Amino acid sequence: MTTDDPATDRTDREDFPDWLRQLERDIRPGPAVRLRIWCRRRSRRLMGAVGVLLVLALVAGAAAYGSGHLRRPGPAAHPAAGPAATASPTAAPGPFAGTPAAGWPAGAAGIVLPAAHRTGDFSTAQVSAGLAQVRAALLTARLDRAFMAGRSPDPLLRHFAPAARASVRKEYATETIATYATRLAPDARLAPDPPRVSGRITYQATRDNDGARKLAVTTNFVWVYGFRDPGARSGYSVVLLHDTVVWHLPYPDDVAAASRGLWLHRTSSYGWGLDCGTIHQGLVRPGGLDPAAAPFPEDPEALYDPDHPIAVPTHC
């Protein structure tokens, strides 16, 4: 495209050599010729400008390359070696460490009720209510610390039928109580860890000699208690009690109002790690074997099995 701007025409003319002006009268150069002449006159300045552009391009490329490396994550640096980390102190082993009861459920978690079903003339609801009554009695008799350390049978008595409470009260101060409930000797100190429990519950419908219908619930549990024992290397000792108890719940229509509720029908148990002097009073505390007694005829760890027969040679 051409322009009629006089200023542009004047500048172009001044850049032409004298001989070209002389020839201009006869030959008027075209645009290509004018461009070559113009470039030749400014070659040094053009070379300098290109050099500057190349330098700028290199600088910009280097900056971009460096910037890319700054943004790109490098390999993870290894932390400088410093003082060795101090290991956290290992928790002291509990009282059940090294015994078969170490992995057993703690406390109430070990008393799992079977599913309730209609049994004989007992409806599903009656069976479910009866099982719950038995479980509540077990929780008090074997796991309630206030009851076990206390000196009153009342917390346990409330689980029984009114007519059954007198016999339980009478047994409270005798050796028989230990077959279905735990009473601690005054100087016995339980460890903070809950007792460990393993066993099962079964039930069936039955009748007594008078023909009264009964729901018989059989509980078979091993209870393992941890005690503080300053004389032991670990600071603890354990006592094991294994009991089998048959509980009766009469059919409500077959008995008087005072007899409705929980009854003890049969109890049996054995223990291990007990103090022989206090267990005869119905009190539990840890104690060692009588050195004068005959060696126990089997591996004591077998006594932790709920399927172990209740009848065992006594070590007291």
Side-chain angles (χ1 to χ4, degrees):
M1 185 175 88
T2 60
T3 177
D4 294 331
D5 185 355
T8 303
D9 187 63
R10 184 173 56 254
T11 302
D12 291 343
R13 290 173 179 272
E14 291 174 355
D15 292 332
F16 294 158
D18 293 339
W19 60 268
L20 186 58
R21 292 193 186 96
Q22 182 67 31
L23 290 174
E24 190 176 9
R25 302 187 187 95
D26 303 318
I27 303 172
R28 187 170 183 88
V33 176
R34 288 171 177 266
L35 179 60
R36 281 200 302 272
I37 296 170
W38 185 88
C39 289
R40 193 174 298 160
R41 299 275 297 179
R42 291 166 172 77
S43 59
R44 290 185 180 178
R45 277 182 273 177
L46 284 173
M47 290 301 293
V50 170
V52 171
L53 290 174
L54 287 174
V55 171
L56 290 176
L58 289 173
V59 171
Y65 180 82
S67 173
H69 273 264
L70 288 173
R71 288 193 297 267
R72 186 181 304 123
H78 295 286
T86 304
S88 57
T90 303
F96 309 106
T99 74
W104 290 6
I111 307 175
V112 180
L113 295 178
H117 301 288
R118 183 177 183 86
T119 304
D121 293 329
F122 290 86
S123 68
T124 299
Q126 288 174 316
V127 171
S128 179
L131 291 173
Q133 283 182 266
V134 171
R135 187 174 191 272
L138 291 174
L139 290 174
T140 298
R142 292 300 195 189
L143 298 176
D144 186 333
R145 291 183 178 236
F147 165 73
M148 292 190 296
R151 294 297 173 259
S152 170
D154 291 343
L156 182 61
L157 296 179
R158 63 184 175 85
H159 295 289
F160 290 90
R165 294 172 185 171
S167 61
V168 176
R169 185 182 294 274
K170 187 181 296 184
E171 292 169 350
Y172 180 73
T174 70
E175 185 176 3
T176 303
I177 191 69
T179 61
Y180 61 91
T182 303
R183 291 187 60 208
L184 299 176
D187 61 343
R189 296 292 179 268
L190 286 173
D193 308 65
R196 299 302 191 255
V197 183
S198 179
R200 59 185 175 273
I201 300 175
T202 58
Y203 62 90
Q204 63 178 347
T206 186
R207 291 178 182 266
D208 65 13
N209 294 334
D210 298 327
R213 293 167 287 183
K214 304 287 178 67
L215 180 67
V217 180
T218 301
T219 60
N220 176 30
F221 283 99
V222 177
W223 316 86
V224 184
Y225 301 87
F227 286 86
R228 296 185 183 276
D229 187 352
R233 177 177 299 179
S234 66
Y236 300 105
S237 59
V238 298
V239 166
L240 176 152
L241 296 172
H242 180 190
D243 63 34
T244 297
V245 182
V246 180
W247 313 74
H248 273 180
L249 291 126
Y251 196 83
D253 295 344
D254 292 355
V255 296
S259 295
R260 295 171 187 167
L262 200 59
W263 288 76
L264 285 167
H265 178 64
R266 186 172 62 251
T267 67
S268 55
S269 70
Y270 65 74
W272 183 259
L274 295 161
D275 181 271
C276 295
T278 58
I279 195 61
H280 293 303
Q281 306 169 40
L283 300 175
V284 174
R285 70 185 299 276
L289 293 174
D290 183 354
F296 194 71
E298 61 179 306
D299 183 358
E301 288 197 355
L303 301 176
Y304 285 78
D305 186 354
D307 291 327
H308 192 286
I310 289 293
V312 296
T314 179
H315 68 276
C316 289

